[in-house]
């Protein structure tokens, strides 16, 4: 099979082949955590709960009409309230579903095949009031932000990692979504991967619409260097790897 046929097959349903596969969930193997673990002693920033957030433009029809990709950003900061809103809209957890007294699934602002929600959200913060520059991770279950580290030449690094797309270096924030593949594979084995990429689309679409609510813009990015982005977010590139990016700024 040539490479294009291989890639096309990845887009198709694998459910015929799945009939012969026993997933790790069916084998009663332990479920992976719903969220990547984090060091409780790290620097954690409280975000604003959605009930306390006031959104300027909350007309959904208008926001859908206005949605487009923005690649020019003003040198203007976002507030912590605005960032809290974007994180909640794209990956916010509405409830944690329990089964047999164990956390079994998160239900979020976006759908996900089998509610597996296999993603983590990393942020390169460049211009948010009150936050220093650097790499952060969204703790979706807690609705908090964890500071990971400062990055030397952050703007140049992300421009280079996105194959020279200069607007990424001007954004107030760059959203980078990684996938922890086993979260989906545990249940869906070879059928997990198509579903997980479909899931990523929902996240970014919600980010686009949420940006409209705060007079900000974003632009989905799939053209990037896998190794460079994985190095920026400090992931191993095998069990966890970047799948999608979206820089955000005021326009
Ligand atoms: C999966 C995906 C990947 C994309 N990758 C890039 C990218 O790497 N660079 C870029 O400038 N735009 C990228 N875009 C934005 C598209 O070019 C844009 O959505 C398209 O031109 C339509 O314009 P609109 O979003 O303003 O309607 C991507 C969009 C999607 C959905």
């Amino acid at each position: 099979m040539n490479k294009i046929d291989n890639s096309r097959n990845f887009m198709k349903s694998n459910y015929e082949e799945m009939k012969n596969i026993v997933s790790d969930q069916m084998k009663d193997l332990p479920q992976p955590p719903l969220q990547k673990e984090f060091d409780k002693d790290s620097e954690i920033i409280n975000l604003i709960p959605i009930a306390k957030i006031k959104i300027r433009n909350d007309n959904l029809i208008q926001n859908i009409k206005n949605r487009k990709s923005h690649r020019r950003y003003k040198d203007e900061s976002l507030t912590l309230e605005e960032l809290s809103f974007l994180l909640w809209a794209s990956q916010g957890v509405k409830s944690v579903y329990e089964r047999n007294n164990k956390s079994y699934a998160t239900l979020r602002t976006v759908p996900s095949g089998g509610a597996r929600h296999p993603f983590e959200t990393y942020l390169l913060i460049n211009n948010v009031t009150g936050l220093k520059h650097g790499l952060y991770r969204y703790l979706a279950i807690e609705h908090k932000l964890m500071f990971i580290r400062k990055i030397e030449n952050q703007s140049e690094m992300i421009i280079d990692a996105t194959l020279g797309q200069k607007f990424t270096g001007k954004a107030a924030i760059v959203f980078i979504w990684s996938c922890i593949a086993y979260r989906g594979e545990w249940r869906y084995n070879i059928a997990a991967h198509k579903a997980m990429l479909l899931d990523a689309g929902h996240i970014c679409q919600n980010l686009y619409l949420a940006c409209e609510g705060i007079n900000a813009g974003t632009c989905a990015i799939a053209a990037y260097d896998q190794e460079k982005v994985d190095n920026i977010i400090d992931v191993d590139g095998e069990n966890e790897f970047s799948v999608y990016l979206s820089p955000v700024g005021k326009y």
Side-chain angles (χ1 to χ4, degrees), residues 133-218:
H133 288 205
L135 177 69
Y136 294 73
R137 176 154 65 90
Y138 179 43
L139 306 175
I141 294 176
E142 295 77 10
H143 191 56
K144 291 178 194 278
L145 203 56
M146 179 179 79
F147 176 71
I148 300 177
R149 67 184 171 97
K150 197 175 166 333
I151 296 182
E152 289 304 322
N153 305 319
Q154 185 173 298
S155 292
E156 290 74 16
M157 293 281 280
I158 193 63
I159 293 171
D160 181 47
T162 54
L163 316 177
Q165 301 194 68
K166 289 207 173 63
F167 61 94
T168 60
K170 297 245 189 301
I173 309 163
V174 181
F175 281 68
I176 303 174
W177 293 288
S178 74
C179 179
I180 298 186
Y182 186 62
R183 264 190 231 159
E185 291 161 354
W186 174 74
R187 179 180 297 175
Y188 294 118
N189 199 284
I190 56 158
H193 309 94
K194 169 180 171 155
M196 292 193 286
L197 277 189
L198 293 171
D199 283 354
H202 308 135
I203 299 180
C204 196
Q205 177 69 5
N206 264 25
L207 183 69
Y208 267 88
L209 295 179
C211 278
E212 290 300 332
I214 58 164
N215 294 343
T218 192

Side-chain angles (χ1 to χ4, degrees), residues 64-117:
I64 292 174
K65 268 190 191 163
N66 289 348
R67 186 220 62 84
K68 63 176 192 160
S69 295
H70 289 269
R71 299 181 183 84
R72 279 167 196 267
Y73 312 116
K74 282 195 222 159
D75 186 15
E76 194 180 314
S77 57
L78 266 77
T79 63
L80 193 63
E81 183 181 22
E82 290 171 327
L83 172 59
S84 304
F85 174 57
L86 298 183
L87 285 165
W88 174 82
S90 52
Q91 273 293 267
V93 172
K94 295 187 290 178
S95 61
V96 178
Y97 178 72
E98 305 264 326
R99 188 183 270 185
N100 303 329
N101 291 325
K102 278 193 195 141
S103 299
Y104 180 66
T106 51
L107 295 175
R108 305 196 184 204
T109 51
V110 286
S112 164
R116 293 300 87 205
H117 290 289

Side-chain angles (χ1 to χ4, degrees), residues 16-35:
E16 206 39 49
E17 214 181 326
M18 279 286 285
K19 283 185 189 154
N20 306 317
I21 287 175
V22 182
S23 72
D24 282 1
Q25 179 175 18
M26 289 155 96
K27 290 180 198 154
D28 268 338
L29 289 172
Q31 176 181 338
L34 301 178
Q35 176 173 277

